[in-house]
């Protein structure tokens, strides 16, 4: 979970929310949201003990068609965007010692990011144990860097040389879009809280170890992030923090002097370890989606000797490089956060469905219903904030439409050519909506995968009513 976010997101959280005190509240609430979401995912992981995370949960709860959208979006948007953003974080810190008096050229940064992606991809393709050893080594680098920052911040505060002198909440921006975007940047730093759900099949006693890992790890990480942000604000003024391209390097230069380059290396190693972990889980999602028939069969294959999902990892690498070329860190993170948390909310709604419709399922671990409702409310509120931002500042709207618009529906229809009439109805509804669009869509999904004749008849009548002359599904 600890990765590049804490070294890249603080300046963006502060710039969106406007004041140091409010930024600390955003960090604390981000940890709370992640804690609630992770506890809910832990219950899902103990009910559906399969690898694949959101994809496998939505597949088992809602059926094939919604699961295809999840697989398509995660493999072509969410995971590649995450990998691209983390690689950019690594690159920023890796080249920072060579450009201490100016910002590094973007070409240099992106070349370093490409090199990092290729190295991590090769490590994961060649040997799983090598990838895990890399993870352990770089975890030590992460903890070392953060502990140095925490201790340094405590020393600065004890000496009374605090950079922030004014009221901590002066200049707070309470706009809905600003709060939402600040949350997205904060939540990005906690990305990875769901990774254990992608490898549930590889866990020993998941009904015990999955909730235990969540309950122990996330509060510790939240507290550590708060202390690191206090250290940043103790050393740098808000203006210095917001203008810094690499806050850990700026902090190191102010506190450690000539040894400031150590923080640059430590932050780069931390980002590299996070990149390795993202590759490890991302390849498994692609592998499981292909195994379930939602991606080409070749992506479900593993190397005969190394037993690694090589085709899936190569595919993930290629898409990540395509996302990296035109993007920058801030836009990639904002887009990743909106898309990812939208699907997290859908997954949590699936847990609500299981609690209401299938209370008899065995649950070694249970989340109280009111906690789950609170978490779902927070997630949907954040998504609404992003929608408001698109109205105020529509930059990036075309990218979102490209990822989640007509191309996705077209791919979905091509994936279900075995039922041409259903695909024809679906395509027509996507272009020309009716007052009962959502009802028709829901009935179509259930009709396709639950094979309910009553629903099929209702769907046919609705299509005849709102789309006269259009072909209707045949009920056999």
């Amino acid at each position: 979970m600890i990765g590049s976010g804490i070294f890249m997101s603080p300046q963006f959280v502060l710039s969106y929310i406007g004041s140091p005190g409010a930024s600390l509240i955003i960090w604390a609430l981000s940890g709370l949201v992640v804690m609630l979401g992770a506890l809910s995912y832990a219950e899902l992981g103990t009910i559906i003990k399969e690898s694949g995370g959101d994809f496998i949960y939505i597949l088992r709860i809602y059926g094939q068609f919604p699961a295809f959208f999840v697989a398509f979006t995660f493999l072509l948007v969410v995971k590649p965007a995450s990998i691209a953003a983390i690689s950019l974080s690594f690159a920023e810190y890796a080249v920072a010692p060579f450009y201490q008096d100016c910002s590094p050229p973007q070409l240099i940064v992106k070349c370093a990011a490409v090199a990092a992606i290729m190295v991590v991809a090769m490590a994961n393709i060649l040997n799983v144990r090598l990838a895990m050893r890399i993870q352990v080594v770089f975890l030590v680098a992460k903890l070392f860097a953060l502990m140095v920052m925490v201790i340094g911040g405590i020393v600065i505060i004890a000496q009374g040389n605090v950079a922030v002198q004014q009221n901590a909440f002066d200049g707070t921006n309470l706009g809905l879009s600003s709060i939402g975007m600040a949350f997205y940047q904060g939540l990005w730093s906690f990305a990875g809280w769901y990774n254990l759900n992608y490898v549930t099949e590889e866990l020993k006693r998941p009904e015990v170890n999955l909730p235990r890992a969540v309950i122990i790890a996330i509060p510790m990480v939240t507290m550590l992030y708060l202390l690191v942000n206090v250290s940043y604000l103790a050393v740098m003024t808000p203006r210095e923090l917001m203008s810094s391209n690499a806050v850990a390097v700026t902090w190191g230069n102010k506190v450690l002097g000539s040894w400031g380059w150590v923080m640059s290396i430590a932050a780069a190693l931390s980002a590299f370890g996070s990149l390795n972990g993202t590759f490890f889980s991302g390849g498994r999602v692609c592998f499981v989606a292909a195994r379930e028939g939602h991606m080409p069969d070749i992506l479900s294959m593993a190397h005969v000797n190394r037993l690694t999902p090589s085709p899936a990892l190569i595919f993930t690498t290629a898409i990540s490089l395509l996302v990296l070329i035109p993007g920058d860190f801030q836009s990639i993170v904002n887009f990743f956060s909106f898309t990812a948390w939208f699907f997290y909310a859908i997954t949590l709604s699936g847990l609500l469905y299981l609690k209401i419709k299938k209370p008899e399922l065995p649950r070694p671990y249970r989340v109280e219903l009111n906690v789950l409702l609170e978490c779902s409310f927070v997630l949907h509120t954040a998504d609404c904030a992003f929608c408001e931002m698109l109205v105020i500042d529509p930059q990036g709207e075309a990218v979102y439409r490209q990822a989640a618009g007509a191309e996705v529906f077209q791919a979905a229809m091509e994936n279900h050519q075995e039922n041409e009439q259903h695909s024809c109805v679906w395509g027509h509804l996507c272009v020309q909506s009716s007052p009962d669009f959502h009802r028709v869509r829901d009935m179509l999904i259930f009709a396709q995968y639950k094979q309910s004749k009553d629903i099929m008849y209702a769907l046919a009548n609705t299509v005849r009513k709102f789309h006269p002359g259009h072909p209707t599904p045949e009920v056999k």
Side-chain angles (χ1 to χ4, degrees), residues 137-347:
V137 171
F138 289 105
L139 174 62
V140 176
K142 298 177 188 181
L143 295 177
F144 169 78
L146 295 179
M147 290 309 299
V148 168
M149 288 183 177
V150 170
I151 295 172
I154 293 174
V155 172
I156 294 296
I157 293 173
Q159 293 174 347
N161 300 323
V162 181
V164 179
Q165 300 292 342
Q166 77 275 17
N167 189 311
F169 291 91
D170 282 348
T172 301
N173 190 346
L174 296 178
L176 184 60
S177 60
S178 298
I179 295 174
M181 296 310 298
F183 260 114
Y184 280 144
Q185 291 290 336
L187 292 171
W188 158 257
S189 298
F190 291 89
W193 56 268
Y194 43 76
N195 276 348
L196 283 179
N197 291 79
Y198 288 121
V199 292
T200 304
E201 296 173 9
E202 302 174 40
L203 292 178
K204 294 180 180 179
R205 300 179 64 198
E207 67 277 2
V208 174
N209 293 323
L210 193 55
R212 181 182 296 170
V214 169
I215 293 170
I216 294 174
I218 294 180
M220 291 178 60
V221 172
T222 303
M223 183 58 65
L224 185 60
Y225 281 3
L226 283 171
L227 292 174
V228 170
N229 274 276
V230 169
S231 179
Y232 285 148
L233 294 169
V235 174
M236 292 176 277
T237 64
R239 184 178 298 275
E240 288 175 331
L241 183 59
M242 288 186 288
S243 62
S244 175
N245 291 324
V247 288
V249 174
T250 305
W251 184 95
N253 291 335
K254 282 180 167 289
V255 177
L256 303 178
S258 60
W259 287 88
W261 57 270
V262 173
M263 296 309 303
S264 177
I265 295 177
L269 294 179
S270 175
F272 193 85
S274 180
L275 181 62
N276 180 68
T278 304
F279 254 98
F280 183 80
S281 63
R284 269 62 184 174
V285 177
C286 189
F287 177 83
V288 173
R291 186 178 66 184
E292 296 292 337
H294 290 257
M295 287 289 161
D297 291 339
I298 190 174
L299 298 180
S300 66
M301 297 180 182
H303 194 280
V304 65
N305 295 323
R306 301 186 179 95
L307 302 179
T308 56
S310 302
L313 291 170
I314 293 171
F315 176 80
T316 302
T317 302
I319 301 298
S320 301
L321 293 175
L322 290 177
V323 174
L324 174 66
I325 293 171
D328 62 89
F329 179 82
Q330 187 175 2
S331 61
I332 290 175
V333 168
N334 290 342
F335 181 52
F336 160 84
S337 297
F338 165 69
T339 309
W341 283 89
F342 174 78
F343 281 106
Y344 299 157
I346 293 177
T347 304

Side-chain angles (χ1 to χ4, degrees), residues 107-144:
L107 179 61
I108 301 296
V109 171
K110 292 197 173 183
C111 286
V114 169
I117 290 175
M118 297 302 294
V119 170
V120 172
M122 290 301 297
N124 281 267
I125 290 171
L126 292 176
N127 195 313
V128 174
R129 291 185 178 179
L130 175 62
M132 296 309 298
R133 290 193 189 101
I134 291 174
Q135 198 67 13
V136 172
V137 171
F138 289 105
L139 174 62
V140 176
K142 298 177 188 181
L143 295 177
F144 169 78

Side-chain angles (χ1 to χ4, degrees), residues 411-463:
M413 288 187 285
E414 292 174 357
N415 192 58
H416 297 280
Q417 285 299 318
E418 68 274 10
N419 195 321
E420 295 179 358
Q421 290 177 320
H422 287 174
S423 296
C424 187
V425 173
W426 178 258
H428 183 72
L429 293 175
C430 290
V431 176
Q432 182 180 356
S433 62
S434 70
D436 286 74
F437 167 75
H438 295 291
R439 184 157 63 92
V440 175
R441 178 194 61 189
D442 292 339
M443 286 189 294
L444 175 61
I445 293 171
F446 279 104
Q448 283 181 302
Y449 299 109
K450 301 300 181 183
Q451 298 181 352
S452 170
K453 289 187 177 181
D454 292 338
I455 295 177
M456 288 289 290
Y457 280 121
L459 171 62
N461 291 334
T462 303
V463 172

